[in-house]
Amino acid sequence: MGNPIFIPGPTNIPDTLRRTIDIASVDHRSPAFVDMLRPALDGVKRVLEMRAGETVIFPATGTGAWEAAITNTLSPGDTVLAARHGMFSHRWIDLCQRHGLNVQVIETGWGNGTPADAFEKALRADREQKIKAVLVTHNETATGVRSDVSAVRRAIDAARHPALLYVDGVSSIASMDFRMDEWGVDIAITGSQKGFMLPAGLAIVGLSERAIQATETATCPRCFFDFAEMIKSNCDGGFPYTPPVGLIRGLNESISMLEAEGLHNVFSRHHRIAEGVRCAVKAWGLKLCAREPLTQSDTVSAILVPSGYDANAIVAHAADKYGVAFGTGLGDVAGKVFRIGHLGMMTDVMALSGIAAAEMVMADLGLPIRPGTGVAAAQEHYRTSCHALLSKAA
Ligand SMILES: *Cc1c(COP(=O)(O)O)cnc(C)c1O
């Protein structure tokens, strides 16, 4: 018997999607594959809210999409601007450095979001326009912090700077509001195993016209992740190599499920569930790693444990005794936070079970938590804010 998992990716896989991806081999040079690929690429465009540009899908994960974004549009020695405020923003910076880019890093402190004002300052100071791209981790999964991408776009525009804007939306896209065109995002990246509720295996990328143009002059070596080759093959109805057909079929079905619910409703559901978790955290007398309420993520909550307690022990005990998976603290916040992932296939009632499990674990380990307090606070929130099922019936 399995419990839902509460890690911020991979997320719980709906039965429908498990059945959809379980297919016999398909000849990927046959029309059957073409009929699957084009709707998936178009569907991703709708989820990203983009009209112009292209979407591409690689057999990889979010990390592969980071690499694809960098190698296709930049040249060794190019400068990029990024803030470091968690494990994922840190790892993207590291990946850039290993590709020979010069990363201008703004250290922001774990628990904070991307500082649009500091970015504007850095861009204004860059009179020679050395900065070619600005990187934003939309949702820092390690700390549960959401950054304001539109504020970064305004900062770039205010500085009248031509830098491109790249956004890691791995743990936000398809769960939280994302607007490629409106925010002027040039490259958006995600993976299949978070908001899309599939197993890991697809690196999903949205490209603006400007990002596609940048591939013409970029000299970083790339082969497997070549955007131009992929776009050309896709136009001819195929793939440059063997595509992960089952997952692409699953992506179509996932997008159908998201659109049947309505993307707006998907985002409100994530917000409501996250608010319930935040009510529970407050009732426990604990604090989130995300300092500002406006930056608190709707897909993952990183909860600070009181000093003297080990957050890793909470995660280990939850797995050992109750068979429930929570996320550990990564990097600078290792041992200090545990994370409840609440994205993808998640309902109010599923979230309540995660909150209840966390309470049992903390009580077992002697934390000053009274079991039931968090659950009650979340129940109250869900009872008063959930109208979705009622209105559906009407
Ligand atoms: C999960 C995640 C990644 C890494 O994705 P993989 O699919 O594990 O390679 C990158 N960025 C963020 C924000 C993530 O949440």
Side-chain angles (χ1 to χ4, degrees):
M1 290 296 283
N3 291 314
I5 51 172
F6 295 96
I7 55 175
T11 61
N12 298 289
I13 307 176
D15 287 343
T16 319
L17 292 184
R18 290 172 68 166
R19 285 193 297 270
T20 305
I21 62 179
D22 182 6
I23 52 167
S25 288
V26 171
D27 172 7
H28 59 278
R29 313 222 180 265
S30 73
F33 175 64
V34 181
D35 291 347
M36 228 178 262
L37 178 64
R38 187 40 59 189
L41 295 171
D42 291 343
V44 171
K45 273 193 169 181
R46 293 193 301 277
V47 172
L48 295 179
E49 294 215 9
M50 58 185 282
R51 273 158 294 277
E54 297 285 348
T55 46
V56 287
I57 298 169
F58 294 101
T61 68
T63 307
W66 278 341
E67 181 157 327
I70 295 309
T71 56
N72 278 277
T73 58
L74 297 166
S75 306
D78 278 355
T79 298
V80 299
L81 177 65
R84 176 160 30 217
H85 50 100
M87 199 60 184
F88 292 91
S89 45
H90 166 70
R91 285 180 49 209
W92 201 6
I93 289 167
D94 176 56
L95 182 143
C96 290
Q97 289 168 335
R98 291 204 235 168
H99 279 94
L101 301 178
N102 169 36
V103 189
Q104 192 173 328
V105 181
I106 297 183
E107 302 289 349
T108 319
W110 291 40
N112 293 318
T114 302
D117 47 352
F119 273 23
E120 183 175 337
K121 227 173 168 182
L123 291 163
R124 281 187 193 279
D126 179 34
R127 296 221 170 71
E128 293 168 54
Q129 301 188 335
K130 284 198 166 134
I131 297 170
K132 299 297 174 209
V134 174
L135 313 186
V136 177
T137 301
H138 185 204
N139 189 70
E140 181 40 271
T141 318
T143 56
V145 169
R146 168 177 40 192
S147 287
D148 186 345
V149 179
S150 66
V152 175
R153 164 47 64 197
R154 286 195 298 276
I156 298 172
D157 292 347
R160 296 175 185 281
H161 200 290
L164 296 166
L165 174 58
Y166 299 172
V167 179
D168 171 347
V170 180
S171 61
S172 59
I173 287 168
S175 307
M176 297 183 342
D177 192 18
F178 190 91
R179 306 179 191 192
M180 179 100 177
D181 285 356
E182 192 181 318
W183 298 343
V185 175
D186 292 294
I187 303 187
I189 69 157
T190 188
S192 46
Q193 81 276 26
K194 300 199 183 178
F196 286 110
M197 308 170 282
L198 290 163
L202 300 179
I204 299 165
V205 185
L207 299 168
S208 73
E209 299 285 3
R210 279 187 74 209
I212 295 168
Q213 271 165 26
T215 64
E216 289 165 17
T217 48
T219 62
C220 276
R222 67 252 184 199
C223 172
F224 184 81
F225 288 123
D226 196 290
F227 286 161
E229 273 177 35
M230 181 58 85
I231 292 168
K232 186 174 179 311
S233 291
N234 290 172
C235 284
D236 299 341
F239 230 66
Y241 34 73
T242 315
V245 176
L247 283 174
I248 291 172
R249 186 167 195 259
L251 183 59
N252 273 318
E253 186 59 29
S254 162
I255 294 167
S256 296
M257 289 171 71
L258 293 166
E259 291 185 329
E261 184 177 352
L263 278 174
H264 179 77
N265 296 326
V266 171
F267 303 152
S268 343
R269 171 168 55 83
H270 280 83
H271 181 67
R272 185 182 67 245
I273 291 172
E275 286 278 307
V277 172
R278 291 191 275 267
C279 290
V281 172
K282 195 169 164 211
W284 293 331
L286 298 181
K287 290 213 157 20
L288 291 170
C289 186
R291 297 199 180 95
E292 297 293 327
L294 273 178
T295 68
Q296 290 165 354
S297 166
D298 285 346
T299 59
V300 54
S301 297
I303 301 159
L304 288 161
V305 301
S307 61
Y309 295 94
D310 176 12
N312 288 334
I314 292 176
V315 176
H317 186 79
D320 293 347
K321 185 163 176 195
Y322 299 109
V324 171
F326 293 119
T328 55
L330 304 172
D332 286 7
V333 291
K336 296 181 192 154
V337 308
F338 73 99
R339 294 174 299 152
I340 301 182
H342 34 78
L343 74 161
M345 184 185 70
M346 186 63 59
T347 63
D348 301 3
V349 171
M350 285 164 81
L352 285 172
S353 78
I355 294 165
E359 285 182 342
M360 291 194 284
V361 170
M362 290 191 284
D364 288 352
L365 297 179
L367 274 80
I369 302 288
R370 201 151 47 82
T373 50
V375 170
Q379 284 172 323
E380 197 51 33
H381 176 72
Y382 296 146
R383 285 179 59 227
T384 52
S385 64
C386 178
H387 305 292
L389 295 174
L390 291 175
S391 60
K392 212 184 229 174

